[in-house]
Amino acid sequence: INMPQGKNNRRGRNNKKKKRGAGHGKNSQRKPAAAPTATAASTNTSSNVDENVPASFNADDENKGNMTPYERHFVDKQKWLDQNTLYDGGMLIKGPDGVSKEEAEDPDTSKFTTEQMNSMRYIMITQHRSDQLDQMQDLIMGDQAGESMVMFRRSFGSHVIGTWRQIQQQLADNNNTAEKLDILMAYTFLLKSHNTWMHFNQGGMDTVVKGLAEAWKNLLRDNDDESLGWDLEYSKPGILHLLAEFQSDVEGMDSEFGLGEFNYM
């Protein structure tokens, strides 16, 4: 569903580096060698930016209370962004409940209920979060960052293990709790987006899963909301939903892939 996100969002569809896609490779870890697998890295529809508010909105409708729940949702979010100028826009993490893939192609937004709109989740984007998302895209995808078609070899898993070592060093060198949150959020988001490593690797991926979970657990346990620097209206629910989805993806894989559990809480 192409949802309007907010003002000047750096996660927009016209920025080539923001193209993201989940890979689909071979399903066995037991073969000694495997041909590379290709996947299209299409732009995530959750990151598309259309308008600050729905095109159908007008002030008279707001004054008369004639807006649909869909229109009200985005008008309220835009007002929030106007009042919280630290943020450039929102990155959609979860669309409305109860919308099938077929319906998402051409949704009738006039039928969306308030409950459906309230089920959506965002992460609000600061300049630092935008920079981290860019850097993590480059770190994880390397020379293929931003390409429309990418190739994955089984060694991609080993590459991901190497990126986790770099993230561990970044966290150790950084004493700013809010910046640590941004680093982990961006890294987790890109690992989830480019998830070929979960089932197309040479083993050892449990070190990444366990280490990342421990980093999140320590950060969330030892710091309050103010120190973490996440807004309570959008980003906190959005990041927690991202973590729950990442956990579901990891723990939904067969045990033969050796990912283990993502115990982040």
Short mmCIF file of all heavy atoms in Angstrom, two decimals, residues 14-55:
data_model
loop_
_atom_site.label_atom_id
_atom_site.label_comp_id
_atom_site.label_asym_id
_atom_site.label_seq_id
_atom_site.Cartn_x
_atom_site.Cartn_y
_atom_site.Cartn_z
N ASN A 14 12.46 7.97 -4.60
CA ASN A 14 13.35 8.50 -5.63
C ASN A 14 14.81 8.43 -5.25
O ASN A 14 15.67 8.82 -6.03
CB ASN A 14 12.97 9.96 -5.93
CG ASN A 14 11.61 10.06 -6.57
OD1 ASN A 14 11.24 9.19 -7.35
ND2 ASN A 14 10.86 11.10 -6.24
N ASN A 15 15.12 7.95 -4.07
CA ASN A 15 16.51 7.83 -3.65
C ASN A 15 16.98 6.43 -3.96
O ASN A 15 16.55 5.47 -3.35
CB ASN A 15 16.61 8.12 -2.14
CG ASN A 15 18.04 8.24 -1.70
OD1 ASN A 15 18.92 7.62 -2.28
ND2 ASN A 15 18.29 9.03 -0.65
N LYS A 16 17.90 6.29 -4.89
CA LYS A 16 18.30 4.97 -5.38
C LYS A 16 18.82 4.07 -4.28
O LYS A 16 18.57 2.89 -4.26
CB LYS A 16 19.37 5.13 -6.46
CG LYS A 16 19.79 3.81 -7.07
CD LYS A 16 20.85 4.01 -8.14
CE LYS A 16 21.28 2.70 -8.75
NZ LYS A 16 22.35 2.88 -9.73
N LYS A 17 19.54 4.65 -3.31
CA LYS A 17 20.15 3.81 -2.28
C LYS A 17 19.13 3.19 -1.35
O LYS A 17 19.45 2.34 -0.56
CB LYS A 17 21.13 4.63 -1.45
CG LYS A 17 22.49 4.75 -2.10
CD LYS A 17 23.53 5.11 -1.07
CE LYS A 17 24.92 5.02 -1.67
NZ LYS A 17 25.95 5.28 -0.67
N LYS A 18 17.88 3.61 -1.39
CA LYS A 18 16.90 3.08 -0.45
C LYS A 18 16.16 1.88 -1.00
O LYS A 18 15.19 1.43 -0.45
CB LYS A 18 15.88 4.17 -0.08
CG LYS A 18 16.54 5.43 0.40
CD LYS A 18 17.53 5.14 1.51
CE LYS A 18 18.29 6.38 1.89
NZ LYS A 18 19.20 6.83 0.89
N LYS A 19 16.60 1.37 -2.16
CA LYS A 19 15.95 0.18 -2.70
C LYS A 19 16.29 -1.01 -1.82
O LYS A 19 17.43 -1.28 -1.53
CB LYS A 19 16.39 -0.08 -4.14
CG LYS A 19 15.89 0.99 -5.10
CD LYS A 19 16.25 0.66 -6.51
CE LYS A 19 15.69 1.69 -7.49
NZ LYS A 19 16.02 1.39 -8.87
N ARG A 20 15.23 -1.73 -1.40
CA ARG A 20 15.44 -2.83 -0.49
C ARG A 20 14.63 -4.01 -0.94
O ARG A 20 13.55 -3.88 -1.49
CB ARG A 20 15.02 -2.42 0.93
CG ARG A 20 15.81 -1.25 1.47
CD ARG A 20 15.41 -0.96 2.90
NE ARG A 20 14.12 -0.31 2.95
CZ ARG A 20 13.95 0.97 2.85
NH1 ARG A 20 14.97 1.74 2.70
NH2 ARG A 20 12.76 1.50 2.92
N GLY A 21 15.11 -5.20 -0.67
CA GLY A 21 14.35 -6.39 -1.01
C GLY A 21 14.84 -7.59 -0.26
O GLY A 21 16.01 -7.68 0.09
N ALA A 22 13.94 -8.50 0.03
CA ALA A 22 14.32 -9.73 0.72
C ALA A 22 14.71 -10.79 -0.29
O ALA A 22 14.02 -11.03 -1.26
CB ALA A 22 13.15 -10.21 1.58
N GLY A 23 15.86 -11.40 -0.05
CA GLY A 23 16.34 -12.41 -1.00
C GLY A 23 15.68 -13.75 -0.79
O GLY A 23 15.19 -14.07 0.28
N HIS A 24 15.68 -14.56 -1.82
CA HIS A 24 15.13 -15.91 -1.76
C HIS A 24 16.12 -16.85 -2.42
O HIS A 24 16.22 -16.90 -3.63
CB HIS A 24 13.78 -15.98 -2.48
CG HIS A 24 12.79 -15.01 -1.91
ND1 HIS A 24 12.08 -15.26 -0.78
CD2 HIS A 24 12.43 -13.77 -2.32
CE1 HIS A 24 11.29 -14.22 -0.51
NE2 HIS A 24 11.50 -13.32 -1.42
N GLY A 25 16.86 -17.58 -1.60
CA GLY A 25 17.92 -18.42 -2.15
C GLY A 25 17.63 -19.88 -1.98
O GLY A 25 16.51 -20.31 -1.78
N LYS A 26 18.70 -20.70 -2.06
CA LYS A 26 18.57 -22.13 -1.87
C LYS A 26 18.19 -22.43 -0.43
O LYS A 26 18.48 -21.66 0.48
CB LYS A 26 19.91 -22.82 -2.20
CG LYS A 26 20.40 -22.53 -3.61
CD LYS A 26 19.53 -23.18 -4.66
CE LYS A 26 20.10 -22.94 -6.05
NZ LYS A 26 19.29 -23.54 -7.11
N ASN A 27 17.58 -23.57 -0.20
CA ASN A 27 17.07 -23.87 1.13
C ASN A 27 17.91 -24.85 1.93
O ASN A 27 17.52 -25.25 3.01
CB ASN A 27 15.64 -24.42 1.03
CG ASN A 27 14.67 -23.35 0.64
OD1 ASN A 27 14.88 -22.19 0.97
ND2 ASN A 27 13.63 -23.71 -0.07
N SER A 28 19.06 -25.25 1.44
CA SER A 28 19.85 -26.24 2.17
C SER A 28 21.19 -25.67 2.54
O SER A 28 21.84 -25.00 1.76
CB SER A 28 20.05 -27.50 1.32
OG SER A 28 20.95 -28.38 1.94
N GLN A 29 21.62 -25.96 3.77
CA GLN A 29 22.95 -25.55 4.20
C GLN A 29 23.96 -26.68 4.02
O GLN A 29 25.13 -26.49 4.27
CB GLN A 29 22.91 -25.20 5.69
CG GLN A 29 22.20 -23.89 5.99
CD GLN A 29 22.33 -23.59 7.45
OE1 GLN A 29 21.99 -24.41 8.29
NE2 GLN A 29 22.83 -22.42 7.77
N ARG A 30 23.54 -27.84 3.62
CA ARG A 30 24.39 -29.01 3.71
C ARG A 30 25.24 -29.28 2.47
O ARG A 30 26.13 -30.08 2.51
CB ARG A 30 23.53 -30.23 4.02
CG ARG A 30 22.73 -30.02 5.32
CD ARG A 30 21.91 -31.21 5.69
NE ARG A 30 21.16 -30.97 6.91
CZ ARG A 30 20.39 -31.86 7.51
NH1 ARG A 30 20.28 -33.08 7.00
NH2 ARG A 30 19.73 -31.57 8.61
N LYS A 31 24.96 -28.61 1.39
CA LYS A 31 25.76 -28.81 0.19
C LYS A 31 27.04 -28.00 0.29
O LYS A 31 27.05 -26.87 0.76
CB LYS A 31 24.96 -28.39 -1.05
CG LYS A 31 23.72 -29.26 -1.29
CD LYS A 31 22.97 -28.79 -2.51
CE LYS A 31 21.71 -29.63 -2.76
NZ LYS A 31 20.96 -29.18 -3.93
N PRO A 32 28.16 -28.53 -0.16
CA PRO A 32 29.43 -27.83 -0.01
C PRO A 32 29.55 -26.61 -0.88
O PRO A 32 30.34 -25.73 -0.60
CB PRO A 32 30.46 -28.89 -0.39
CG PRO A 32 29.71 -29.84 -1.29
CD PRO A 32 28.32 -29.88 -0.75
N ALA A 33 28.79 -26.54 -1.95
CA ALA A 33 28.88 -25.38 -2.84
C ALA A 33 27.52 -25.14 -3.46
O ALA A 33 26.69 -26.03 -3.54
CB ALA A 33 29.92 -25.63 -3.94
N ALA A 34 27.30 -23.93 -3.89
CA ALA A 34 26.01 -23.60 -4.49
C ALA A 34 26.19 -22.43 -5.43
O ALA A 34 27.04 -21.56 -5.22
CB ALA A 34 24.98 -23.26 -3.42
N ALA A 35 25.40 -22.42 -6.48
CA ALA A 35 25.42 -21.30 -7.42
C ALA A 35 24.81 -20.08 -6.76
O ALA A 35 23.97 -20.20 -5.87
CB ALA A 35 24.64 -21.67 -8.68
N PRO A 36 25.22 -18.88 -7.15
CA PRO A 36 24.62 -17.68 -6.58
C PRO A 36 23.14 -17.60 -6.93
O PRO A 36 22.71 -18.10 -7.96
CB PRO A 36 25.42 -16.54 -7.23
CG PRO A 36 25.96 -17.13 -8.49
CD PRO A 36 26.22 -18.57 -8.18
N THR A 37 22.39 -16.98 -6.07
CA THR A 37 20.97 -16.78 -6.31
C THR A 37 20.71 -15.30 -6.53
O THR A 37 21.31 -14.46 -5.85
CB THR A 37 20.12 -17.31 -5.14
OG1 THR A 37 18.74 -17.13 -5.44
CG2 THR A 37 20.45 -16.61 -3.83
N ALA A 38 19.86 -15.00 -7.48
CA ALA A 38 19.57 -13.61 -7.81
C ALA A 38 18.19 -13.24 -7.28
O ALA A 38 17.29 -14.07 -7.21
CB ALA A 38 19.61 -13.41 -9.33
N THR A 39 18.06 -11.99 -6.90
CA THR A 39 16.75 -11.51 -6.46
C THR A 39 16.61 -10.05 -6.83
O THR A 39 17.59 -9.31 -6.84
CB THR A 39 16.58 -11.69 -4.94
OG1 THR A 39 15.26 -11.27 -4.57
CG2 THR A 39 17.59 -10.89 -4.15
N ALA A 40 15.39 -9.66 -7.14
CA ALA A 40 15.12 -8.26 -7.43
C ALA A 40 15.03 -7.50 -6.13
O ALA A 40 14.36 -7.91 -5.20
CB ALA A 40 13.81 -8.13 -8.21
N ALA A 41 15.73 -6.39 -6.05
CA ALA A 41 15.71 -5.56 -4.84
C ALA A 41 14.77 -4.39 -5.09
O ALA A 41 15.19 -3.27 -5.34
CB ALA A 41 17.11 -5.07 -4.50
N SER A 42 13.50 -4.65 -5.05
CA SER A 42 12.52 -3.60 -5.34
C SER A 42 12.35 -2.68 -4.14
O SER A 42 12.56 -3.07 -3.00
CB SER A 42 11.17 -4.23 -5.69
OG SER A 42 10.70 -5.00 -4.63
N THR A 43 11.96 -1.43 -4.41
CA THR A 43 11.75 -0.48 -3.33
C THR A 43 10.63 -0.96 -2.44
O THR A 43 9.57 -1.33 -2.91
CB THR A 43 11.39 0.90 -3.90
OG1 THR A 43 12.43 1.32 -4.77
CG2 THR A 43 11.20 1.92 -2.80
N ASN A 44 10.86 -0.95 -1.14
CA ASN A 44 9.85 -1.33 -0.16
C ASN A 44 8.71 -0.33 -0.22
O ASN A 44 8.90 0.86 -0.04
CB ASN A 44 10.50 -1.33 1.23
CG ASN A 44 9.59 -1.89 2.29
OD1 ASN A 44 8.38 -1.76 2.22
ND2 ASN A 44 10.20 -2.51 3.29
N THR A 45 7.47 -0.80 -0.47
CA THR A 45 6.35 0.12 -0.58
C THR A 45 6.11 0.87 0.71
O THR A 45 5.53 1.96 0.69
CB THR A 45 5.06 -0.63 -0.96
OG1 THR A 45 4.81 -1.65 0.02
CG2 THR A 45 5.17 -1.26 -2.31
N SER A 46 6.57 0.33 1.84
CA SER A 46 6.35 1.02 3.10
C SER A 46 7.16 2.31 3.19
O SER A 46 6.90 3.15 4.03
CB SER A 46 6.72 0.11 4.27
OG SER A 46 8.10 -0.12 4.32
N SER A 47 8.15 2.49 2.31
CA SER A 47 8.98 3.68 2.39
C SER A 47 8.58 4.75 1.38
O SER A 47 9.20 5.79 1.30
CB SER A 47 10.45 3.31 2.16
OG SER A 47 10.64 2.86 0.85
N ASN A 48 7.54 4.50 0.58
CA ASN A 48 7.15 5.47 -0.42
C ASN A 48 6.55 6.72 0.20
O ASN A 48 5.80 6.67 1.15
CB ASN A 48 6.13 4.85 -1.39
CG ASN A 48 6.78 3.86 -2.32
OD1 ASN A 48 8.00 3.79 -2.40
ND2 ASN A 48 5.97 3.09 -3.02
N VAL A 49 6.86 7.85 -0.38
CA VAL A 49 6.34 9.12 0.08
C VAL A 49 5.50 9.72 -1.04
O VAL A 49 6.00 9.97 -2.13
CB VAL A 49 7.49 10.09 0.45
CG1 VAL A 49 6.93 11.39 0.97
CG2 VAL A 49 8.41 9.46 1.47
N ASP A 50 4.23 9.96 -0.78
CA ASP A 50 3.36 10.53 -1.81
C ASP A 50 3.09 12.01 -1.51
O ASP A 50 3.63 12.89 -2.13
CB ASP A 50 2.05 9.76 -1.89
CG ASP A 50 2.27 8.33 -2.37
OD1 ASP A 50 3.23 8.13 -3.10
OD2 ASP A 50 1.47 7.46 -2.01
N GLU A 51 2.26 12.27 -0.52
CA GLU A 51 1.92 13.63 -0.14
C GLU A 51 2.05 13.77 1.37
O GLU A 51 2.08 12.79 2.10
CB GLU A 51 0.46 13.96 -0.54
CG GLU A 51 0.16 13.76 -2.01
CD GLU A 51 0.79 14.80 -2.89
OE1 GLU A 51 1.18 15.86 -2.37
OE2 GLU A 51 0.90 14.56 -4.09
N ASN A 52 2.11 15.02 1.84
CA ASN A 52 2.10 15.22 3.28
C ASN A 52 0.79 14.77 3.89
O ASN A 52 0.73 14.28 5.00
CB ASN A 52 2.35 16.69 3.62
CG ASN A 52 3.78 17.09 3.31
OD1 ASN A 52 4.61 16.26 3.04
ND2 ASN A 52 4.05 18.38 3.36
N VAL A 53 -0.30 14.98 3.17
CA VAL A 53 -1.62 14.50 3.57
C VAL A 53 -2.28 13.94 2.32
O VAL A 53 -1.87 14.24 1.19
CB VAL A 53 -2.49 15.63 4.16
CG1 VAL A 53 -1.89 16.16 5.44
CG2 VAL A 53 -2.68 16.76 3.17
N PRO A 54 -3.31 13.09 2.46
CA PRO A 54 -3.97 12.53 1.28
C PRO A 54 -4.45 13.62 0.33
O PRO A 54 -4.92 14.68 0.75
CB PRO A 54 -5.15 11.75 1.88
CG PRO A 54 -4.68 11.39 3.26
CD PRO A 54 -3.86 12.56 3.71
N ALA A 55 -4.34 13.36 -0.97
CA ALA A 55 -4.71 14.35 -1.97
C ALA A 55 -6.18 14.74 -1.88
O ALA A 55 -6.58 15.84 -2.28
CB ALA A 55 -4.39 13.81 -3.37
#
